[in-house]
Amino acid sequence: MEPQRERAGRHLKKGRKRRRGPNMLVGAAEAMRARWELEESQPEAKKARLSTILFAENCEVTHEQLCELLKYAVLGNSNVSKPSWCQLFHQNQLNNVVVFVLQGMSQLHFYRFYMEFGFLRKAFTHKFRLPPPSSNFLADIIGLQKKQTTGDLSKMVEGFPDCENFVPTKCHGSITDNSPLFGLDCEMCLTSKGRELTRISLVAEGGCCIMDELVKPDNKVLDYLTSFSGITKKILNPVTTKLKDVQRQLKALLPPDAVLVGHSLGLDLRALKMIHPYVIDTSLLYVREQGRRFKLKFLAKAILGKDIQCPDRLGHDATEDARTTLELAQYFLKYGPRKIAELNLEALASHQELLAAGQGPRNTAEVVQQSNTSVLECLDLMGQKLLFLTREAETSELSSSRNCQTIKCLTNKEVLEQARVEIPLFPFSIVQFSFEPFSYKLTEEMNKRMRSKWTEMSTVYAGPFSKNCNLRAVKRLFKSFGPVRSMSLVLETHQPHLCIQYEVLEAAQLAIESLDGILVESTCIKVQRPVTELTLDSSTLVKELEQDSENRGTIYLSGVNQTFKEHLLQQSNISLGLEAVILPKDLKSGKQKKYCFLKFKTFGSAQRALNILKGKDWKLKGRHALTPRHLHAWLRGIPPESRTPGVRVIPPPSEQQALQVLKVDHPKIAAWRWGRKIGKLYHSLSPGTLCLILLPGTKSTHGSFSGLGLMGIKDEEESTTPKICS
């Protein structure tokens, strides 16, 4: 079989053996981090900039991780832990933070009405999936703690919620007044998988330390959090103890009726990945107003008269903290809540916080050292307030918070008008628009049609082929453009055709662009998508996907091997401007697939690399990406559709009726109208504003749908493009 272009008469030749570079292993993560550090040190780079190349593989950002970014955006201090999932360069150059919340919308809405969300998809380079929302989405992303009720000790002794892969301590004895108390404290570091245990201390009644172990994390350490934990790389290097070892040791040490005592104990148990039925949390025992919590350092001084976590010491002493929590619990049990009330802790803490705020940034470490610090507390430390604009019908714990200026409006239009006036007056603003969500039935219908649409757009028909053609060679040719989900021979036609369903949209588009109109054994074949109601606008949609801000700097390559990444990073003419190498793996075997995505800072860098990689030295097939990474991760998990591509689809009556009514707040119209309105508001923001657009997702008794986040810094593209393209 010799395929060739009909017009040019060229023959497609077999590629030569690819030239290999020196066999020198270069770690991608180390190279990227070194590049960040170099960029961070450049004196001329004076504009805030985002990078999301630390994304988890599924590109899902939890509400807690989102809160990490918002707190860092407010304080940006070396004493504050940097976000675990992204990089924010030159935080001190940020002017404002603005969060737009489109309540009632989800990731499904964004891609169902992708064409209508014109401004949002083109303006925001960084997109990520959000988990389905809880009952109070805003409180979660701001970091507000749920309010606790005071009561007797039995109400303070709480069980830990059931968590997958967590190990129970198997302490199931009945507790009595004589049950032993054990103080527990853990130190953590930040790894590629989040926070992991590095030290555990357990103290028995009387103050004797019965367990003090250093622990080697299972994953690569990104930040030792030394200023809090006292742990350094040098300290952990010789350690061989792993998490499973301390779990086994703790289970052996604790008697059946043991009561664990800790400060924000839930964080320690999460780090241990253990469940214990009887606990006392001193951050809840000494309850504060509005659900806030006292710091352990404050309680130690105010209640026990002792100084802990001294600033001249490197990090915290886990044994000292464990012993302190135990003594605080014993004090409460001995004197009761009335004695605690007489100490007037709230007034004392507020006075100290005011003094700390007046003394400047050197005290921020004491305020934000605990992960349960909220964005509101960070703003309070800086002497600032949060602006919250919403509709009157919406209720949120945020509205009643002390450090929040809440303005309630009757309509979304009024919220927008107030936003134009109020946003410039506040350093941090949350603007919430509320839309009527689809019913679960209609959302499920949309979800199915969305999946069918993507499946059909990733499917191509090719032919006709002669009955004597080498089908094995033809199939090999089509597989060279990317991973194939299924390939079948169509015999209903006069001459045979092939139906190829690719795993990724880029592979299907590349096959169409490369093979449509070529000659295969003297027969001109046509390569095209099935023509259905779902693919009628596929050409337009492909063009719009190419213009998506996240795709413009990303290229898709097929034909990569296991050593591709190492060879790539050795080539300075290709890696210039390279931010990430994304190598998908097979979900079952874990093996690297034969395609990848390369993410560059600019379109120019991406185009230059694509030209080189498609050239004679590399012999790869590729094009600019069409699928944003977070969407690609979602689509990879979609099972093959049972519906045969090419069958005409009649929209469900409920959706037909909904789209014909075209109500003002219908998500299709809202996507178009409010996308443009937010765009105008975005353009009025001052340069250097960190802006997030959050579609929280939907949740009901019938099911839930993931949300979507978009973010960017106003004018960040203008600050980086000229330098890299020059």
Side-chain angles (χ1 to χ4, degrees), residues 169 181-187 197 199-204 211 250 254 259-270 272 274 276 279-280 282 296 318-319 321-326:
T169 57
L181 306 182
F182 294 87
L184 174 69
D185 187 68
C186 295
E187 300 297 340
L197 184 70
R199 182 181 176 186
I200 173 177
S201 290
L202 188 71
V203 175
M211 182 180 181
L250 196 60
L254 295 176
V259 178
L260 288 179
V261 181
H263 198 77
S264 296
L265 187 59
L267 300 174
D268 298 316
L269 289 171
R270 282 192 180 277
L272 284 165
M274 297 190 78
H276 187 75
V279 302
I280 299 175
T282 52
L296 181 62
T319 301
D321 288 355
R323 187 177 291 118
T324 300
T325 59
L326 182 59

Side-chain angles (χ1 to χ4, degrees), residues 666-686:
H666 185 283
K668 180 179 177 70
I669 302 304
W672 179 75
R673 292 182 71 243
W674 288 98
R676 293 183 65 186
K677 289 178 184 295
I678 292 173
K680 291 180 180 179
L681 186 55
Y682 174 80
H683 287 306
S684 71
L685 300 177
S686 62

Side-chain angles (χ1 to χ4, degrees), residues 282-300:
T282 52
S283 72
L284 304 179
L285 201 61
Y286 293 88
V287 68
R288 195 174 181 184
E289 292 178 1
Q290 297 183 335
R292 301 169 71 197
R293 303 190 186 191
F294 293 113
K295 297 185 295 295
L296 181 62
K297 179 182 176 71
F298 168 79
L299 291 174

Side-chain angles (χ1 to χ4, degrees), residues 140-375:
D140 289 343
I141 66 170
I142 294 300
L144 291 178
Q145 301 294 316
K146 292 181 173 61
K147 293 185 178 180
Q148 306 290 334
T149 56
T150 57
D152 58 27
L153 180 60
S154 64
K155 291 182 180 178
M156 297 298 176
V157 180
E158 303 172 341
F160 198 82
D162 185 31
C163 293
E164 188 180 0
N165 300 323
F166 275 39
V167 177
T169 57
K170 295 185 178 178
C171 295
H172 300 309
S174 300
I175 57 170
T176 66
D177 291 343
N178 296 319
S179 292
L181 306 182
F182 294 87
L184 174 69
D185 187 68
C186 295
E187 300 297 340
M188 282 80 84
C189 68
L190 187 63
T191 74
S192 56
K193 296 294 184 181
R195 294 183 184 272
E196 291 191 46
L197 184 70
T198 53
R199 182 181 176 186
I200 173 177
S201 290
L202 188 71
V203 175
E205 291 182 81
C208 177
C209 180
I210 59 175
M211 182 180 181
D212 188 15
E213 292 282 352
L214 292 171
V215 185
K216 177 86 79 175
D218 292 328
N219 298 287
K220 182 178 178 180
V221 177
L222 302 177
D223 189 341
Y224 287 89
L225 304 177
T226 306
S227 60
F228 307 135
S229 67
I231 304 296
T232 64
K233 182 178 181 179
K234 183 178 180 180
I235 291 173
L236 274 193
N237 269 344
V239 176
T240 58
T241 304
K242 305 292 281 187
L243 178 62
K244 62 182 179 181
D245 299 320
V246 298
Q247 289 175 336
R248 186 164 50 246
Q249 189 176 347
L250 196 60
K251 287 166 68 175
L253 280 173
L254 295 176
D257 61 340
V259 178
L260 288 179
V261 181
H263 198 77
S264 296
L265 187 59
L267 300 174
D268 298 316
L269 289 171
R270 282 192 180 277
L272 284 165
K273 293 189 176 180
M274 297 190 78
I275 300 172
H276 187 75
Y278 311 122
V279 302
I280 299 175
D281 191 332
T282 52
S283 72
L284 304 179
L285 201 61
Y286 293 88
V287 68
R288 195 174 181 184
E289 292 178 1
Q290 297 183 335
R292 301 169 71 197
R293 303 190 186 191
F294 293 113
K295 297 185 295 295
L296 181 62
K297 179 182 176 71
F298 168 79
L299 291 174
K301 184 67 174 176
I303 303 292
L304 306 175
K306 59 191 288 188
D307 293 307
I308 64 170
Q309 301 173 0
C310 299
D312 57 346
R313 185 191 301 160
L314 183 63
H316 299 175
D317 183 334
T319 301
E320 179 183 63
D321 288 355
R323 187 177 291 118
T324 300
T325 59
L326 182 59
E327 291 174 4
L328 286 170
Q330 291 170 327
Y331 186 96
F332 189 97
L333 292 172
K334 181 177 180 179
Y335 294 105
R338 180 172 295 180
K339 174 69 174 177
I340 307 303
E342 292 173 359
L343 297 175
N344 202 3
L345 296 175
E346 183 67 39
L348 181 59
S350 297
H351 177 68
Q352 289 191 5
E353 287 171 358
L354 287 173
L355 290 176
Q359 290 170 356
R362 66 186 180 90
N363 288 308
T364 56
E366 298 179 7
V367 177
V368 298
Q369 61 189 344
Q370 297 200 25
S371 61
N372 59 11
T373 304
S374 71
V375 173

Side-chain angles (χ1 to χ4, degrees), residues 357-616:
Q359 290 170 356
R362 66 186 180 90
N363 288 308
T364 56
E366 298 179 7
V367 177
V368 298
Q369 61 189 344
Q370 297 200 25
S371 61
N372 59 11
T373 304
S374 71
V375 173
L376 285 172
E377 288 171 300
C378 293
L379 286 167
D380 195 21
L381 178 71
M382 306 299 288
Q384 299 169 339
K385 276 193 170 187
L386 181 147
L387 170 67
F388 179 40
L389 284 165
T390 186
R391 286 171 59 171
E392 285 188 357
E394 296 296 324
T395 58
S396 171
E397 188 177 328
L398 186 60
S399 303
S400 58
S401 299
R402 178 175 61 88
N403 198 37
C404 176
Q405 178 68 48
T406 301
I407 300 176
K408 292 198 171 186
C409 307
L410 293 174
T411 64
N412 283 336
K413 183 178 180 181
E414 189 179 337
V415 171
L416 182 71
E417 291 170 352
Q418 287 288 336
R420 290 194 184 102
V421 176
E422 299 291 341
I423 284 178
L425 306 178
F426 289 82
F428 196 113
S429 306
I430 296 179
V431 182
Q432 179 171 264
F433 301 104
S434 302
F435 304 100
E436 189 66 32
F438 282 138
S439 67
Y440 178 77
K441 181 180 178 182
L442 180 54
T443 305
E444 190 59 41
E445 288 171 355
M446 287 170 54
N447 190 38
K448 289 178 181 177
R449 286 169 58 75
M450 171 75 179
R451 294 182 176 210
S452 296
K453 183 183 183 79
W454 224 265
T455 299
E456 293 187 7
M457 286 188 63
S458 301
T459 301
V460 299
Y461 282 92
F465 299 101
S466 66
K467 294 180 180 178
N468 298 320
C469 79
N470 186 345
L471 280 178
R472 180 174 296 180
V474 171
K475 289 182 178 180
R476 189 164 56 247
L477 177 63
F478 278 93
K479 286 181 179 179
S480 69
F481 295 101
V484 172
R485 195 185 293 275
S486 66
M487 187 180 296
S488 57
L489 195 60
V490 180
L491 299 175
E492 283 78 1
T493 52
H494 176 62
Q495 290 179 284
H497 285 68
L498 276 178
C499 175
I500 307 102
Q501 187 181 117
Y502 288 99
E503 288 184 21
V504 294
L505 179 60
E506 288 84 355
Q509 186 64 25
L510 195 54
I512 293 171
E513 293 167 348
S514 304
L515 301 181
D516 185 35
I518 68 168
L519 290 177
V520 177
E521 296 184 357
S522 302
T523 302
C524 179
I525 67 167
K526 189 165 186 63
V527 182
Q528 60 185 344
R529 290 188 176 87
V531 180
T532 73
E533 290 186 353
L534 297 179
T535 61
L536 284 174
D537 64 348
S538 58
S539 296
T540 303
L541 183 55
V542 165
K543 290 179 182 178
E544 292 298 327
L545 285 167
E546 286 177 329
Q547 296 303 312
D548 189 295
S549 59
E550 189 170 350
N551 293 333
R552 281 183 57 78
T554 305
I555 61 175
Y556 162 82
L557 296 171
S558 178
V560 302
N561 58 24
Q562 296 292 324
T563 60
F564 169 76
K565 179 174 66 177
E566 286 73 33
H567 294 157
L568 175 73
L569 294 176
Q570 296 168 26
Q571 309 298 316
S572 59
N573 61 335
I574 300 175
S575 59
L576 179 65
L578 179 64
E579 280 199 321
V581 180
I582 303 161
L583 297 162
K585 294 181 179 180
D586 185 271
L587 296 176
K588 293 182 179 179
S589 68
K591 292 182 179 179
Q592 178 184 317
K593 295 198 173 185
K594 295 182 179 180
Y595 72 96
C596 74
F597 292 88
L598 303 183
K599 183 176 178 62
F600 293 84
K601 289 181 181 177
T602 67
F603 177 82
S605 297
Q607 183 64 58
R608 181 172 55 248
L610 182 60
N611 292 338
I612 296 172
L613 292 167
K614 288 170 63 179
K616 62 181 181 179

